[in-house]
Amino acid sequence: MSIAAVGVALGCCDCTELPTEAGDHVIYHWDDSEARLCGGTVPTVDRFLETVGGHYGWAPDELGPGVEYFWDEELSVNACSWPGTFNCESGMNRPIVFSNAPIETHELAHTSRGGHGRPMLGFPPFINEAFASRWSSAVIEYGQPFLTWPEFLSAAELRAALEVNDAMKLDYGLAFTWWVALESTYGPTKMAEFIVELDGVTSAKGVERATRRAFGISLAESAALAESLPLASVDDPACELDGLPTFTWTGRPLVVERSDAHCDNGDIMNMDGSGGTGWLFALELPDTRTDYYVSLTLPPGVDPVTKGMYLVECHGEPEFGNPFPYNAASVKNGGASGTLRWPWRLRGRQVGRLSTDMNSDGAVVLPRVVFERVLTDADRPMPP
């Protein structure tokens, strides 16, 4: 959710007393009396911001002034002006995010050029939330992927939605559907042109000028594109992150393991304010969809509670007709053997997260995961 101003929140004296860590694109503040900042949190935010901008061709120096991120529940409650809201972003000269979560990708997306427009000008909230919803990640943070809505708005309803000034009165799923329809039709280069054309636009009439200049279509035609889009999901933003540790299938059981981990390590990120941590990785599997037995195990005596894996497929285009575009499991799902009851059918590139609560000393014990191909009749020797 993007907000116009945060003056009341920044009136507090505590803001300047919070510990600070500066990354390449984010200046990060947190309450160290409530949470321990892990070494991979700020680098992950930096890579996420580079990914969002890079998708549309913005170089790092075009991402605008650095983002200030306040991970502090009290500040987020005071800053976000809607009751019950704990996450918001302000598009001032320096974008500011307030959140009770260590990494809030929806609000971070608002800080990018497509999420709020130029400082002090902005876009209609419908477009802000469309863009931010498209870049929400269920891998980098705990969440569920957005899905498009098969029943979209009429052209008149779309015009009305673009005139709404209160983001709380918008349907983010419909906004997401509209953005995905445009991006899947015209691609990121044209969407970048659209974002530029939107600078300073504040009304449905201005948005229609932008659609005509960028795509050569009217608002009614854009609504028709969204209406024709079946239920679909897009790649999780984590699919585009650079530098993930990658495990490649060679025909033998594939072991994914991050042992002897600690919160201070540069690849371990915070997941929540209660000690949750995560580690990101990628798989490269054969392009043919194949069944794999999956097992998650821990060293003897380690409590399996909170320890699990979340995995998504990277298609490079929308995936249609799948209401659950992810695989997830906890260590407890595998029982005594650790092997899940049902195989997972996987192909191609996958990105995932192993997660757990850290120990009181900062140690992070992640599950060891093994993928083993299910044998078929073709693997069995022919009788003589």
Side-chain angles (χ1 to χ4, degrees):
M1 179 181 300
S2 183
I3 60 175
V6 293
V8 175
L10 290 184
C12 76
C13 298
D14 295 337
C15 297
T16 58
E17 297 174 1
L18 294 175
T20 297
E21 181 171 329
D24 295 330
H25 308 295
V26 65
I27 301 171
Y28 203 91
H29 312 274
W30 76 101
D31 184 352
D32 58 353
S33 69
E34 297 290 335
R36 178 174 189 158
L37 184 69
C38 290
T41 299
V42 172
T44 299
V45 172
D46 277 335
R47 282 188 293 164
F48 174 77
L49 291 171
E50 290 169 356
T51 294
V52 177
H55 183 82
Y56 299 105
W58 317 132
D61 59 355
E62 292 180 275
L63 296 180
V67 177
E68 291 222 50
Y69 193 106
F70 289 87
W71 174 26
D72 184 286
E73 183 165 347
E74 182 179 357
L75 275 179
S76 68
V77 170
N78 291 333
C80 302
S81 55
W82 289 274
T85 300
F86 295 92
N87 306 289
C88 56
E89 178 271 341
S90 167
M92 307 295 282
N93 288 331
R94 179 190 295 280
I96 303 170
V97 172
F98 295 94
S99 180
N100 65 344
I103 304 178
E104 174 54 59
T105 52
H106 182 100
E107 302 307 329
L108 284 165
H110 276 308
T111 71
S112 186
R113 185 170 185 181
H116 61 72
R118 290 185 177 177
M120 306 308 294
L121 293 177
F123 301 147
F126 185 88
I127 290 176
N128 290 338
E129 303 307 336
F131 183 90
S133 298
R134 183 261 180 266
W135 287 101
S136 296
S137 172
V139 175
I140 299 173
E141 58 178 304
Y142 297 129
Q144 294 291 324
F146 269 93
L147 299 173
T148 61
W149 287 43
E151 294 184 6
F152 191 66
L153 303 171
S154 68
E157 290 169 329
L158 175 59
R159 286 184 180 277
L162 287 165
E163 298 289 351
V164 173
N165 291 320
D166 184 350
M168 290 291 287
K169 296 179 180 179
L170 293 172
D171 189 314
Y172 289 15
L174 290 172
F176 169 80
T177 300
W178 184 70
W179 191 273
V180 170
L182 291 173
E183 188 163 306
S184 62
T185 301
Y186 296 103
T189 300
K190 277 292 184 181
M191 292 304 286
E193 293 178 19
F194 181 50
I195 290 168
V196 172
E197 292 291 347
L198 285 169
D199 274 344
V201 166
T202 58
S203 66
K205 185 176 181 180
V207 174
E208 182 156 39
R209 282 198 299 269
T211 61
R212 289 190 182 280
R213 289 171 179 168
F215 311 125
I217 63 173
S218 66
L219 270 186
E221 289 170 311
S222 76
L225 279 177
E227 177 68 32
S228 68
L229 192 68
L231 183 139
S233 61
V234 296
D235 280 356
D236 190 281
C239 287
E240 297 190 39
L241 290 181
D242 290 331
L244 294 181
T246 301
F247 300 83
T248 302
W249 179 259
T250 62
R252 301 176 62 84
L254 184 61
V255 178
V256 177
E257 186 172 24
R258 174 61 169 95
S259 57
D260 301 320
H262 192 278
C263 173
D264 293 342
N265 297 154
D267 58 348
I268 301 298
M269 62 183 185
N270 296 92
M271 296 294 299
D272 59 34
S274 303
T277 59
W279 175 70
L280 303 178
F281 65 93
L283 302 179
E284 292 290 350
L285 303 174
D287 290 334
T288 302
R289 198 169 289 284
T290 304
D291 289 334
Y292 296 87
Y293 290 120
V294 181
S295 65
L296 295 85
T297 56
L298 292 164
V302 175
D303 188 347
V305 174
T306 77
K307 295 171 174 58
M309 175 175 63
Y310 187 92
L311 193 68
V312 299
E313 192 168 301
C314 302
H315 299 273
E317 58 187 16
E319 181 186 13
F320 297 106
N322 183 3
F324 303 104
Y326 60 89
N327 287 286
S330 72
V331 173
K332 295 175 68 176
N333 295 147
S337 69
T339 301
L340 303 180
R341 182 177 181 182
W342 305 109
W344 287 4
R345 179 160 289 186
L346 307 171
R347 70 174 180 184
R349 181 171 174 81
Q350 311 270 330
V351 295
R353 175 193 73 234
L354 300 184
S355 56
T356 183
D357 282 356
M358 76 174 85
N359 296 339
S360 58
D361 62 356
V364 174
V365 183
L366 294 163
R368 179 180 187 266
V369 182
V370 179
F371 296 85
E372 186 169 2
R373 185 171 65 85
V374 176
L375 298 180
T376 66
D377 290 342
D379 297 297
R380 298 181 175 90
M382 297 292 291

